[in-house]
DNA sequence: TACCGCAGAGAAAGCCCTTTCCCGCAGGGA
DNA sequence: TCCCTGCGGGAAAGGGCTTTCTCTGCGGTA
């Protein structure tokens, strides 16, 4: 690889001058030398060593981002928002997938710190895990102490700036909608119980049912992976245990799509026989059939806010921005079926007694 | 930020010793000093400066990847394959989204070169653009000349190692299937015509029709963005111009989903009134309703192969691995409707003459 | 006893840039 | 004529780390 001094030598100038030309320094350089340097750069196909540059320059410009998985639509949307602001400000993003592995999350914080990022953004649910949370906060604090900025998206256990989707209100919205449609036997297809996102959404749901004087018993909840297959599997388990269910709330849209797949496999008509409500409103939600009724979260906006927070002026006290959830009515949630409303259990498929 | 010499000073050893302890060098260090260094690292929350390390070490280990957009399922799958091998070999991936902007692609090659990546992988369609292709090849050649390894996925204009999905065969498969089902009026919802992927798939389709003594006239092709909205829009245009169409081939699954949306909006039953075939078999294909009949590409495998190529031994002549396409029959392609088979045009919706 | 070899530690030379500091020179004012 | 100023350029000092080379002191051999 050609180096700066190769270029300088070839152009017959000092490395200092070469550097100034290449970086468009404010220091003036005569046109003749400039030409010579540029020619040498082209001839040698010179590209500056980014590590050397980063080392030599003092100011850090890249921003580190830790998400569960960029290719998961939830995070893809958030990332889009992050990118928008970062690009506007000419900043590079280093994106890391933790795949919801706490250890990997911790490692990535170190990695990014080592890469001298100017700021760190963690997106995705927190964990009900004291030890981990403490460790993470220590690392973040250490990073903050050396001038790094930190923001989290959707995890409240951290002490710095935060952007919070209102998961609880979203759960409430889903619950109220279903209650309003007359459903009483509501099952929940939930993500891992260790995630705060799961418990927050569940809490909102509970509150909505509570206002109707009802409960959400544990037997009507199934915890599984927060993805399509998890949703499919949890739905199957739920249905096996509780065939008279008239509605299912999936705690994210991927799970809802899995739920829909299971219902289709069992020939249960949505929403005529059973209603489904998702969560997040990822883009695909409108394209499944029937189109998914879901709780929308302003994902892109969340990314935008978080990046703005972290690149903006530092405030003495951490800021927490709560972004509202919103119900999007589409075609998977309908009124409770007659039979069920009269509280006669629906015939169980394959049940010999029916 | 604490530096290595801070650690060394605190531990009362030389930076050399500290470095050896921290990196687990083969050079032996007494347990006592080792302990002291480790303690200092913990107390100072020391994290090595990655740029300084990269600069000081000679061997390059990261691999650069340029894709259209990681959150696009097509590339997400490929990336999964890339990651798998890279992780196995303890290599970091630097992933860049070009958003199919040739200039950005060129920039990223430089950027990654500047970051001293050991290898470069470009995934995604090539362009019918001589000037750009030449420029790109020059840059890649320059990189290769300095010891960098290069592989491309799905673009044949490059001279190095390549992994090629058999787009043409895939197009052929789609065409043959539809012909076999009796369709004669087949429309195509295509990606941008500047992409070689588009033309390759189209060529296969043409070949299949050609074998039946038929043609694929330009008026039955609509070019649009390679995404959901592009597919929806192109389908609308196609239908407006040619209401007697009995089948639509979408040149990727995202477009197919858009096509399905448009057909639903126009109350055209799939596959009873009109058939749809997609391309790629992205995960969501099986979850739309009706489930999408499509051409499967071994996306993850493509990533695996490309990364293996680039990390494996160098061969004197570039290798090209062609991976086969495969038809996945699901529910969107059915036999041509009776009326159309008898070549009586289907009533045009809203057509006053019908 | 003299010497060799080796283990373990440190000194110092890079790695490739950026940027400050300094120098020489030409032009303008006193 | 002399001095000052300002401009264009180079020398050199980092930036933080790795790694080679060098040095010291010890145990073992001749």
């Amino acid at each position: 690889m050609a180096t700066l001094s190769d270029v300088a030598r070839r152009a017959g100038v000092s490395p200092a001058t070469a550097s100034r030309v290449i970086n468009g320094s404010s220091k003036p350089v005569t046109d003749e030398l400039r030409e010579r340097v540029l020619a040498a750069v082209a001839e040698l196909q010179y590209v500056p060593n980014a590590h050397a540059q980063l080392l030599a320059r003092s100011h850090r410009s890249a921003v580190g981002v830790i998400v569960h998985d960029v290719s998961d639509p939830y995070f893809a949307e958030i990332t889009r928002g992050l990118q928008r602001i970062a690009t506007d400000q000419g900043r590079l993003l280093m994106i890391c997938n933790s795949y919801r592995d706490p250890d990997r999350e911790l490692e990535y914080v170190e990695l990014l710190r080592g890469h001298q990022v100017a700021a760190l953004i963690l997106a995705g649910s927190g964990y009900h895990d004291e030890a981990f949370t403490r460790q993470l906060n220590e690392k973040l604090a250490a990073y903050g102490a050396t001038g790094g900025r930190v923001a989290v998206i959707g995890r409240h256990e951290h002490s710095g700036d935060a952007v919070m989707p209102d998961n609880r209100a979203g759960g409430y919205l889903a619950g109220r909608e279903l209650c309003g449609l007359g459903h009483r036997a509501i099952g929940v297809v939930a993500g891992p119980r260790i995630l705060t996102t799961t418990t927050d959404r569940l809490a909102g749901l509970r509150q909505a049912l509570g206002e109707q004087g009802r409960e959400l018993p544990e037997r009507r909840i199934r915890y599984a992976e927060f993805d399509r297959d998890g949703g499919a599997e949890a739905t199957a388990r739920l249905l096996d245990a509780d065939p008279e269910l008239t509605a299912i709330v999936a705690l994210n849209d991927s799970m809802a799509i899995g739920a829909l797949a299971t219902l289709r496999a069992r020939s249960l008509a949505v929403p005529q026989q059973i209603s489904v409500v998702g969560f997040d409103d990822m883009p695909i939600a409108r394209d499944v059939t029937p189109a998914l009724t879901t709780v929308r979260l302003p994902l892109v906006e969340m990314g935008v806010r978080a990046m703005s927070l972290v690149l903006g002026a530092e405030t003495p006290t951490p800021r927490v921005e709560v972004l509202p959830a919103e119900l999007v009515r589409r075609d998977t949630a309908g009124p409770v079926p007659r039979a069920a409303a009269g509280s006669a259990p629906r015939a169980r498929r394959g049940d010999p007694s029916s």
Side-chain angles (χ1 to χ4, degrees), chain A:
Chain A
M1 282 283 285
T3 71
L4 184 67
S5 45
D6 293 336
V7 172
R9 200 172 319 120
R10 178 159 197 137
V13 300
S14 72
T17 301
S19 171
R20 290 199 264 261
V21 170
I22 292 167
N23 296 299
S25 149
S26 61
K27 189 124 186 182
V29 175
T30 47
D31 285 348
E32 199 217 323
L33 294 196
R34 156 166 288 111
E35 299 277 290
R36 295 221 305 263
V37 170
L38 260 18
V41 165
E43 286 163 27
L44 297 175
Q45 297 255 35
Y46 171 73
V47 178
N49 182 321
H51 300 299
Q53 282 188 312
L54 264 328
L55 188 58
R57 283 203 250 267
S58 44
H59 72 270
R60 317 285 169 216
S61 125
V63 176
V65 175
I66 301 177
V67 298
H68 156 50
D69 180 358
V70 242
S71 66
D72 176 320
Y74 180 87
F75 295 97
E77 295 291 299
I78 289 178
T79 306
R80 207 181 307 286
L82 294 172
Q83 272 282 10
R84 186 139 85 211
I85 304 299
T87 304
D88 284 355
Q89 307 215 10
R91 305 216 180 221
L92 216 60
L93 244 42
M94 290 192 61
I95 301 174
C96 304
N97 293 340
S98 71
Y99 298 113
R100 287 211 187 90
D101 176 342
D103 290 336
R104 191 145 22 187
E105 224 157 74
L106 256 15
E107 272 172 35
Y108 274 136
V109 171
E110 301 249 301
L111 181 90
L112 291 170
R113 202 147 90 84
H115 277 266
Q116 313 297 115
V117 293
L120 215 49
I121 295 179
L122 274 87
S125 177
Y127 303 84
H128 291 291
D129 179 340
E130 289 272 342
F132 162 72
T133 303
R134 189 159 20 78
Q135 268 188 76
L136 180 62
N137 277 338
E138 271 168 24
K139 282 212 194 305
L140 293 181
Y143 175 64
T146 61
R149 301 290 302 277
V150 178
V152 298
I153 299 179
R155 44 170 83 198
H156 25 138
E157 78 280 25
H158 170 65
S159 55
D161 286 344
V163 173
M164 298 293 304
D166 200 339
N167 282 317
R168 190 182 167 116
Y172 177 81
L173 252 26
R176 200 182 54 180
E177 174 74 0
L178 254 14
C179 287
L181 290 165
H183 294 275
R184 317 197 97 245
I186 300 175
V188 181
V189 171
R193 51 184 353 142
I194 192 147
L195 299 182
T196 56
T197 299
T198 298
T199 47
D200 288 350
R201 295 181 179 181
L202 230 30
L205 211 49
R206 281 221 164 80
Q207 184 187 341
L209 300 204
E211 286 183 3
Q212 308 290 318
R214 294 187 230 141
E215 294 192 333
L216 178 59
E218 274 295 321
R219 65 182 172 82
R220 290 235 167 108
I221 306 178
R222 286 296 176 282
Y223 301 90
E225 285 305 299
F226 233 154
D227 56 23
R228 189 257 186 211
D229 290 346
E233 176 224 330
T235 302
R237 283 191 281 139
L238 212 47
L239 251 25
D240 289 342
D242 223 349
E244 73 276 15
L245 249 31
T246 65
I248 289 180
V249 176
L251 259 32
N252 76 12
D253 284 351
S254 297
M255 294 194 95
I257 287 173
L260 253 21
T262 295
L263 296 176
R264 202 179 315 122
R266 300 196 173 195
S267 307
L268 290 171
V270 176
Q272 294 78 6
Q273 291 176 272
I274 187 161
S275 289
V276 173
V277 176
F279 210 114
D280 291 346
D281 195 28
M282 16 182 271
I284 195 72
R286 62 177 174 161
D287 284 317
V288 296
T289 331
L292 191 63
T293 292
T294 188
V295 175
R296 173 183 297 156
L297 252 28
L299 298 172
V300 175
E301 177 67 15
M302 282 158 55
V304 166
R305 296 286 189 97
M307 190 56 81
S308 306
L309 237 32
V310 111
L311 294 184
E314 196 160 6
T315 53
T317 69
R319 285 155 297 182
V320 177
E321 304 197 346
V322 177
L323 297 189
E326 176 192 355
L327 186 75
V328 180
R329 289 198 180 84
R330 283 196 277 249
D331 309 328
T332 54
V336 68
R338 282 301 177 85
S343 95
R346 184 176 64 237
R348 189 193 301 234
R349 272 176 61 80
D351 185 335
S353 75
S354 71

